[in-house]
């Protein structure tokens, strides 16, 4: 998958805390993607990131509460625990939502700040 450049304003960011059932508030991301209750989704993982795509034959559905449910298999694969704050990155052009757990954010921040210090 090729994502747009970060500087072109085509990505929408939001964050939310996942509960014990794997549900995360996602109104802002869902609005950016124009996904509605009942839309079908495919959910996979890649490099410890949950990848959610619009898919008319998908096994998962956008619930009425404007949230998303991350399946237990994806939570386990990505190390997502209850009460983790997750970064949601919506890419409307590609009809995809990337869900980043704290471990991935930690790696991003470490890399960014080590480069900023010239290490």
């Amino acid at each position: 998958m090729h994502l747009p450049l970060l500087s072109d304003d085509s990505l929408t960011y939001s964050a939310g805390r996942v509960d014990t059932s794997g549900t995360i508030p996602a109104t802002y991301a869902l609005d950016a993607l124009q996904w509605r209750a009942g839309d079908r989704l495919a959910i996979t993982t890649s490099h410890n990131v949950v990848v959610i795509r619009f898919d008319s034959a998908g096994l998962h559905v956008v619930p009425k509460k404007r949230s998303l449910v991350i399946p237990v298999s994806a939570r386990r694969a990505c190390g997502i625990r209850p009460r983790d704050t997750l970064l949601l990155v919506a890419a409307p052009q590609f009809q995809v939502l990337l869900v980043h757990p704290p471990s991935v954010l930690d790696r991003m921040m470490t890399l960014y700040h080590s480069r900023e210090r010239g290490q």
Side-chain angles (χ1 to χ4, degrees):
M1 164 182 36
H2 178 275
L3 287 178
L5 298 174
L6 295 177
S7 61
D8 69 1
D9 294 328
S10 60
L11 300 177
T12 299
Y13 301 93
S14 60
R17 187 168 287 197
V18 66
D19 69 13
T20 56
S21 69
T23 302
I24 182 167
T27 299
Y28 191 65
L30 292 171
D31 287 348
L33 292 161
Q34 297 183 357
W35 293 352
R36 304 290 174 239
D39 283 347
R40 302 203 66 80
L41 306 171
I43 300 177
T44 59
T45 61
S46 179
H47 304 288
N48 295 326
V49 172
V50 179
V51 180
I52 305 175
R53 295 181 180 281
F54 180 85
D55 182 345
S56 60
L59 299 176
H60 307 277
V61 177
V62 176
K64 290 179 183 178
K65 288 189 174 185
R66 310 293 294 147
S67 59
L68 291 169
V69 179
I70 301 170
V72 68
S73 59
R75 284 181 275 146
R76 285 184 183 146
C78 297
I80 296 171
R81 298 180 308 239
R83 294 179 299 285
D84 278 350
T85 298
L86 309 177
L87 174 65
L88 286 72
V89 181
Q93 177 181 355
F94 298 96
Q95 284 297 288
V96 66
L97 177 65
L98 305 174
V99 181
H100 298 77
S103 61
V104 171
L105 298 174
D106 290 344
R107 286 196 310 269
M108 283 189 229
M109 292 294 99
T110 299
L111 179 62
Y112 175 80
H113 288 287
S114 66
R115 285 185 178 168
E116 285 292 305
R117 289 187 304 224
Q119 296 179 349

